[in-house]
Amino acid sequence: MIKAVKLKPNASPLEISQQDISNFLNAPDGILWVSLENSNDSEINSVLSNIFQFHHLTVEDCLSVGYQTPKVDDFGKYIFIIANAVKPNGGFKNLETIELNIFLGDNYIVTCFTDEHMPCVETTWQRLERDERMATRGVDFLCHAILDTLVDEYMPLLDQMDEEVEWLEDQVLANPKKETLERLLTLKHSVMSLRRVISPQREFINRLSRDEFPQVGKISRIYFRDIYDHLVRIQDLSESIRDIVSGAVDIYLNSTSLRLNEVMKALTVVSTIFLPLTFLAGVYGMNFKYFPELNWQFGYPILWGIFFIIVIGMLAFFKKRNWF
Amino acid sequence: MIKAVKLKPNASPLEISQQDISNFLNAPDGILWVSLENSNDSEINSVLSNIFQFHHLTVEDCLSVGYQTPKVDDFGKYIFIIANAVKPNGGFKNLETIELNIFLGDNYIVTCFTDEHMPCVETTWQRLERDERMATRGVDFLCHAILDTLVDEYMPLLDQMDEEVEWLEDQVLANPKKETLERLLTLKHSVMSLRRVISPQREFINRLSRDEFPQVGKISRIYFRDIYDHLVRIQDLSESIRDIVSGAVDIYLNSTSLRLNEVMKALTVVSTIFLPLTFLAGVYGMNFKYFPELNWQFGYPILWGIFFIIVIGMLAFFKKRNWF
Amino acid sequence: MIKAVKLKPNASPLEISQQDISNFLNAPDGILWVSLENSNDSEINSVLSNIFQFHHLTVEDCLSVGYQTPKVDDFGKYIFIIANAVKPNGGFKNLETIELNIFLGDNYIVTCFTDEHMPCVETTWQRLERDERMATRGVDFLCHAILDTLVDEYMPLLDQMDEEVEWLEDQVLANPKKETLERLLTLKHSVMSLRRVISPQREFINRLSRDEFPQVGKISRIYFRDIYDHLVRIQDLSESIRDIVSGAVDIYLNSTSLRLNEVMKALTVVSTIFLPLTFLAGVYGMNFKYFPELNWQFGYPILWGIFFIIVIGMLAFFKKRNWF
Amino acid sequence: MIKAVKLKPNASPLEISQQDISNFLNAPDGILWVSLENSNDSEINSVLSNIFQFHHLTVEDCLSVGYQTPKVDDFGKYIFIIANAVKPNGGFKNLETIELNIFLGDNYIVTCFTDEHMPCVETTWQRLERDERMATRGVDFLCHAILDTLVDEYMPLLDQMDEEVEWLEDQVLANPKKETLERLLTLKHSVMSLRRVISPQREFINRLSRDEFPQVGKISRIYFRDIYDHLVRIQDLSESIRDIVSGAVDIYLNSTSLRLNEVMKALTVVSTIFLPLTFLAGVYGMNFKYFPELNWQFGYPILWGIFFIIVIGMLAFFKKRNWF
Amino acid sequence: MIKAVKLKPNASPLEISQQDISNFLNAPDGILWVSLENSNDSEINSVLSNIFQFHHLTVEDCLSVGYQTPKVDDFGKYIFIIANAVKPNGGFKNLETIELNIFLGDNYIVTCFTDEHMPCVETTWQRLERDERMATRGVDFLCHAILDTLVDEYMPLLDQMDEEVEWLEDQVLANPKKETLERLLTLKHSVMSLRRVISPQREFINRLSRDEFPQVGKISRIYFRDIYDHLVRIQDLSESIRDIVSGAVDIYLNSTSLRLNEVMKALTVVSTIFLPLTFLAGVYGMNFKYFPELNWQFGYPILWGIFFIIVIGMLAFFKKRNWF
């Protein structure tokens, strides 16, 4: 689907058809936003290659399926941005990213994605009517608005992760199970995936906030700096989550080892008490003809006394060694 | 709560009301300190946006709840600082930070925090009367005084951590318990949180101590360098604590494993001595009709002799293998 | 085998013999590609040393067997590139690389390899007829085409690794065996080898995409930048695989430890139940003359009752301790 | 204690009293060395603040107790150095550092320490008489002489550590005990403390060896470079010790695990041999009325044969499984 | 031993005596190589200090025993190089390095070592007759020849390590023993030592290959770049060996743990089968007067049936739990 809109200060946004894009492109004033949504190959080719005549490598990047590393490339008359949004409603367990391509020229911006939905673009499109800054501030502000929304979408994910890690940390102390470990490892996995997506994004937002590109004005750079700060905070949070996860895995693994210790002690206590007793009982069950003790009158109660002394002695020994 | 004060050399500090701030702001001499304490949204907006007309992104940073990464941003006429103080009376176990925002202009400083108390601001406010350098040295010295107090508040925390880690290290050698491990992990956690707060703070203090910002004069930079050295020392200390914690965890985990070894040896010694004896006793408890040994006169004492030889032999074998 | 071809815009590629290379080398227009395939020492010497008079160190690099670190060296009139392709049909388990040497001059390119096949060179050679850009765009584009194909050959390898790691991750949760660990370690090994090959390659492609070498024109740099992005993605993917492998190894090792725990619990439960019972049975198998219980009428059923109570008590104790 | 000396080429060192320092300070030729040893607060204040009028932050650094990170600060007319010497006779187990403060001006050097002894200062003071280079080469050479001695004092410490680690490595292979581990961990601890002291020292010596400070002449820089090389070697040595310690800890921990294995095998061999035998002996100790085997004439010797077969079979099985 | 030789293009090398060195040093053409081999303190002093008047710090470096970090120092008229060769015939287990000092002037080179043999110097000395490039190319080429030979001597060591690691990797899978671990750890140790020697060497060769020193001409820099590439490859190889070693240690440690598991399972299976059986046999060995089962005609065969059922049931349970 191809949507296009012309924005002028003090005027309502004017939706225009695909055919009129080239006409409006060269208009002296106002800014043009062309949005290719859930777009197929022919749409991408007709708009990006034919109308805008973007470099064919960037068009191939828009077409290609599969993860692309976020980046910004300078092509002189325009800059080309690849950003990665999180898939809405995915949750952190199946962390998937969807690719957003942005071409930023002097008086136009082209956004392009092949997925069904890209909330950050749709939200910004709806703000066009309400927020007149969109028309007055130029395309760089518009670009900032889209990327800001895109970055904000990461926060709910991190909040979910934060809740999960706190619950898991409690679990690991109170009632560690194999499932707890698996959830910890899944979470660690997600956090590390997230970091790999965030890190190059932070990098290119940083470049946009410096004075590297003529398409980004001095005033807008402060706004990109603001996005950058958000991303730094997201990365800090994700590192903090990763640390707690690692700590929890440590406690978990140690609790397994401690439990083994406890079980072994119980086994050892029972075995070392009853093995000597059983031996003695076995001795007096022997059938030797000549066996003086068996004929003693108090042989049996005396043996119970010996049993008792052995048990007490053993327990004292274990107590001394701290095996209870 | 909004407090404001006008400072001039050779004059008592003059407390002024909110309404007069804009008048005093443009006065040619003296410096102005506006302090927003435990402030709500309307106070922040009325002072920061309306009177001082700071960039709305910085105002949003002051309003927003939640951890903000410490930083310094240059807005030409003023610089904007986010610093993180430790929550007073929190202790190191629940290490929480409270955010302090500082706007530093040529002849004014605005401090802003939304928490109930910010000791470093309150202490510096009380020094205004006593310490005349506050009035004579300019806003950059005032800013240094606040940040210096803020950094000094970290020291008691580190001292607590240091004491804790020494106690824990002794415990781990003398009497390792599960609780010891948990405290070690909690401490490790706190140290790592602390490092994440200190590190960006060190970074921006370093920038203030170099000649990057016109608001910080050449003479004051040496003072900011001094704060920087404090932060380096705090970071060194926290790394040292982290190392001792890691070492203590190693000893702890190994002591668990050593104890398991000890228990296993006891079990093995007892089992391998008594299992053969019990077998022999069992043999002579059998009821075979034809059983020559049972009729021997010295069968029973001979068997005790065999028992004795087995025990001695086993003990010698264990001794040789170092199992005692 | 020595192959050579002269390319001119708007003309079919002209295959030329070894003898004519020097003549065509100094021709004012068109570009020359000399390809030494599966070449022996005398071929390499005659072409590289005698005709092109390349530096003898580079010729030695072409001759030498064994892994050479990928690099690019500037010799003024030409640049010398060592790239590493993956051996076709090798699979990721026996990851082997084959060396491709490229000399890139102003109007000629010389490729040289000593292995039997180098798919990236062969594919590009076949494109000469079809793709007229090869003749019109200059030697730098030709060089890009070869290196692009070389890098693309890494992708099937990574896909194989990706499939393997997913299968192994499932295995490790469902049915961990020693063989699973070995395959995990093999995979980890391969990923790390791959990273060591990719990393210097990324480095020199990056240098080619900047304006360091006069042989690479401004337009071609964008294409080398595209290869660079591919390599970044490959490295990201390989890091991701390595992380999953590490996670899977963690789960595996822990599952071993958990299984040991389970076995130990079973042993302990059985031992601690039956050792006391066996002791009691041994007691009443003794042959003391004076042994009152043996004469009780209900001695035998009472003892069964005691057995029963002991078993129930033990099981309750184990249940309470969560040993089932 | 305050000591001061005036040095001139071709003249004996002239000891001067505290009162005359300011007079000699402004003398056109010769150099002045003021040494504050084991000095108290009033001495420090009177000399550093009153006579030399050093910046009050540096004076506070001289006064303050506790570890200060080594550094060099430039104050225009002089540079301020904090160095850390090792406490003499401390040994590596209680690695303690003592702080040496140096003020280096154009024609004077002031050294200051609050501890009882600072061998590097005392040794250099004694060299004044013997070594005429001290007077002819300027204050920067004098400063080099002090710091060179300070750095050399680290070497005996490293030699001690080296001996300890070699002894421990042998111990860990021959006769690993809990005490061995503790000594290993202590050593690791000391090495890491040492590295934290050496690293910033290396850093500031490096700065002194470059042309950053006008107080350090071109010829002296080579000498500071020499100290720098010493520090690099010390750091290399300490890293090497740390690596051997880590390796020894690995061997130790594994030897524990191997020993557990050995103990378990012994237990298993004895248990699995005697449990079946004991069972069989138990069977033929039963008192069933109808029990044909008991009446067989060769029942008893046949059973011994069965016992024998079981033992041989078990041992063969264990041998096959490599359990001996 | 002091050897000296004068090299001129188109002339045989002219060996000269120690006394004539100073005369030849100032000769306008040709180059001078002075080689101090297995030299004692007086030789070093007389040549380096008296004849060449090198800086006394460099002479001290030549004299001093013990490991010196490889480096290059610029003294204006000459550069001073410390390189580390491997001790010939040492093998990788006792990796020892011997120090080679090189002074490189405009028309002379002085090499100095205190060990008995330094193959790289001796080999190059013998090449003087055969290889006329030594005389025509200048002292920088001569220096390159020595260092190239020195670096090549590392390769056999790495080949030995490579063979060892492959053999150990097979061993660890087939038949892991304590000795295997020790050899793995020794190898790891050697690799890490090697890396510490290679790394600074790579660093200074890199500096020589750039245009930092006037003594190294533009043409020779390519040759030093070639040595640099060799060192990069050696470092890559050593990292690869270290990775395989780490992987093998992982397999080893896990195989210990797996074996413990196996032993424990055997113990548990035997114990849990025979403990209940022995209990039952014990029960029917009791001597109660009133004991109905003993009088049953088929009591004994019925009990064998029960024994049989218990064994089958246990084995089925173990099978289900995958304990075989």
Side-chain angles (χ1 to χ4, degrees), chain B residues 138-313:
Chain B
V139 280
D140 47 358
F141 186 82
L142 196 53
C143 177
H144 149 265
I146 296 167
L147 289 173
D148 194 26
T149 320
L150 185 148
V151 167
D152 282 351
E153 283 163 14
Y154 280 99
M155 281 312 295
L157 214 73
L158 278 158
D159 289 342
Q160 277 182 49
M161 285 178 169
D162 209 36
E163 269 177 45
E164 171 85 358
V165 82
E166 276 187 31
W167 188 82
L168 284 173
E169 207 181 20
D170 291 347
Q171 277 306 97
V172 112
L173 282 170
N175 184 20
K177 290 184 204 155
K178 201 186 172 185
E179 181 219 347
T180 319
L181 180 69
E182 279 172 29
R183 283 176 73 169
L184 278 169
L185 293 172
T186 305
L187 183 57
K188 197 179 175 186
H189 210 290
S190 302
V191 171
M192 284 165 84
S193 303
L194 188 65
R195 280 168 50 84
R196 251 196 305 280
V197 178
I198 294 295
S199 180
Q201 226 140 206
R202 204 188 77 165
E203 179 57 25
F204 84 71
I205 297 285
N206 191 19
R207 288 181 62 197
L208 289 171
S209 76
R210 293 191 316 247
D211 57 351
E212 227 174 297
F213 304 104
Q215 283 83 2
V216 182
K218 202 181 168 187
I219 294 163
S220 294
R221 271 175 222 144
I222 292 171
Y223 290 91
F224 282 106
R225 181 86 204 164
D226 194 53
I227 304 181
Y228 176 76
D229 288 343
H230 279 234
L231 282 168
V232 168
R233 216 176 319 145
I234 287 172
Q235 221 174 10
D236 276 7
L237 245 171
S238 67
E239 266 179 57
S240 156
I241 291 170
R242 198 196 48 183
D243 287 351
I244 307 180
V245 168
S246 298
V249 169
D250 279 6
I251 303 177
Y252 177 87
L253 292 179
N254 188 261
S255 75
T256 311
S257 160
L258 276 180
R259 191 159 289 207
L260 180 59
N261 239 347
E262 208 184 287
V263 171
M264 287 308 300
K265 277 182 201 166
L267 174 58
T268 306
V269 167
V270 169
S271 299
T272 47
I273 286 176
F274 282 102
L275 282 176
L277 300 190
T278 306
F279 162 66
L280 276 188
V283 163
Y284 293 100
M286 295 193 296
N287 298 319
F288 282 104
K289 281 270 160 61
Y290 174 77
F291 204 145
E293 294 98 317
L294 295 183
N295 300 313
W296 295 357
Q297 193 176 356
F298 298 105
Y300 179 59
I302 287 171
L303 191 60
W304 270 112
I306 293 172
F307 287 165
F308 194 71
I309 290 167
I310 290 175
V311 170
I312 295 293

Side-chain angles (χ1 to χ4, degrees), chain E residues 142-160:
Chain E
L142 196 53
C143 178
H144 148 264
I146 295 166
L147 289 174
D148 195 26
T149 320
L150 184 148
V151 167
D152 282 350
E153 283 162 14
Y154 280 99
M155 280 313 294
L157 214 72
L158 278 158
D159 288 342
Q160 274 181 52

Side-chain angles (χ1 to χ4, degrees), chain D residues 133 169 173 222-223 225-226 229 232-233 236 239-240 243-244 247 250-251 254-255 257-258 260-261 264-265 267-268 271-272 275-276 278-280 282-293 321-323, chain E residues 55-57 61 67-69 71 73 75 178 181-182 185 188-189 192 196 252-253 256 259-260 262-264 266-267 270-271 274-275 277-278 281 284-287 293-297 299-301 303-304 307:
Chain D
R133 286 185 305 175
E169 208 182 20
L173 282 171
I222 291 171
Y223 289 91
R225 181 87 205 162
D226 193 52
D229 288 343
V232 168
R233 216 176 319 146
D236 276 6
E239 266 179 58
S240 156
D243 287 350
I244 307 180
D250 279 4
I251 302 177
N254 188 261
S255 75
S257 160
L258 276 179
L260 180 59
N261 239 347
M264 287 308 300
K265 277 182 202 165
L267 174 58
T268 306
S271 299
T272 47
L275 281 176
T278 307
F279 162 65
L280 276 187
V283 163
Y284 293 100
M286 295 192 296
N287 298 319
F288 283 103
K289 282 268 157 64
Y290 174 77
F291 203 145
E293 293 98 317
R321 291 237 171 165
N322 255 325
W323 288 3
Chain E
H55 198 283
H56 69 94
L57 285 176
D61 277 344
Y67 177 73
Q68 304 260 358
T69 313
K71 63 168 181 180
D73 271 345
F75 285 86
K178 201 184 171 184
L181 180 69
E182 279 172 29
L185 293 172
K188 197 179 171 185
H189 209 291
M192 285 164 83
R196 251 195 307 282
Y252 177 86
L253 292 179
T256 312
R259 191 160 288 209
L260 180 59
E262 206 184 290
V263 171
M264 289 308 300
L267 174 58
V270 169
S271 299
F274 282 103
L275 281 177
L277 300 190
T278 305
Y284 293 101
M286 294 192 299
N287 297 318
E293 293 98 318
L294 294 183
N295 300 314
W296 295 357
Q297 193 175 353
Y300 179 58
L303 190 62
W304 269 113
F307 287 165

Side-chain angles (χ1 to χ4, degrees), chain D residues 74-108:
Chain D
D74 190 359
F75 286 86
K77 295 205 167 165
Y78 56 92
I79 59 177
F80 174 60
I81 297 169
I82 299 181
N84 274 298
V86 284
K87 194 150 197 153
N89 308 321
F92 71 85
K93 267 172 208 163
N94 312 300
L95 182 67
E96 265 181 80
T97 55
I98 44 179
E99 186 183 325
L100 173 64
N101 303 289
I102 302 177
F103 296 85
L104 185 66
D106 287 326
N107 63 341
Y108 63 85

Side-chain angles (χ1 to χ4, degrees), chain E residues 250-319:
Chain E
D250 279 4
I251 302 178
Y252 177 86
L253 292 179
N254 188 262
S255 76
T256 312
S257 160
L258 276 179
R259 191 160 288 209
L260 180 59
N261 240 346
E262 206 184 290
V263 171
M264 289 308 300
K265 276 183 202 165
L267 174 58
T268 306
V269 166
V270 169
S271 299
T272 47
I273 286 177
F274 282 103
L275 281 177
L277 300 190
T278 305
F279 163 64
L280 276 187
V283 164
Y284 293 101
M286 294 192 299
N287 297 318
F288 282 105
K289 280 268 158 61
Y290 174 76
F291 202 145
E293 293 98 318
L294 294 183
N295 300 314
W296 295 357
Q297 193 175 353
F298 297 107
Y300 179 58
I302 287 171
L303 190 62
W304 269 113
I306 293 172
F307 287 165
F308 194 70
I309 289 167
I310 290 174
V311 170
I312 295 295
M314 286 290 190
L315 291 178
F317 175 79
F318 297 146
K319 196 77 195 168

Side-chain angles (χ1 to χ4, degrees), chain E residues 154-215:
Chain E
Y154 280 99
M155 280 313 294
L157 214 72
L158 278 158
D159 288 342
Q160 274 181 52
M161 285 177 168
D162 209 37
E163 267 176 47
E164 170 86 356
V165 82
E166 275 188 31
W167 188 81
L168 284 172
E169 207 181 21
D170 291 348
Q171 276 308 96
V172 112
L173 282 170
N175 184 22
K177 292 185 203 153
K178 201 184 171 184
E179 180 219 348
T180 319
L181 180 69
E182 279 172 29
R183 284 176 71 170
L184 278 169
L185 293 172
T186 306
L187 183 56
K188 197 179 171 185
H189 209 291
S190 302
V191 172
M192 285 164 83
S193 304
L194 187 65
R195 279 167 52 84
R196 251 195 307 282
V197 178
I198 294 295
S199 180
Q201 225 139 207
R202 205 189 76 166
E203 178 57 25
F204 84 69
I205 295 285
N206 191 20
R207 288 181 63 197
L208 289 172
S209 75
R210 293 192 315 249
D211 58 351
E212 228 174 298
F213 304 105
Q215 284 81 4

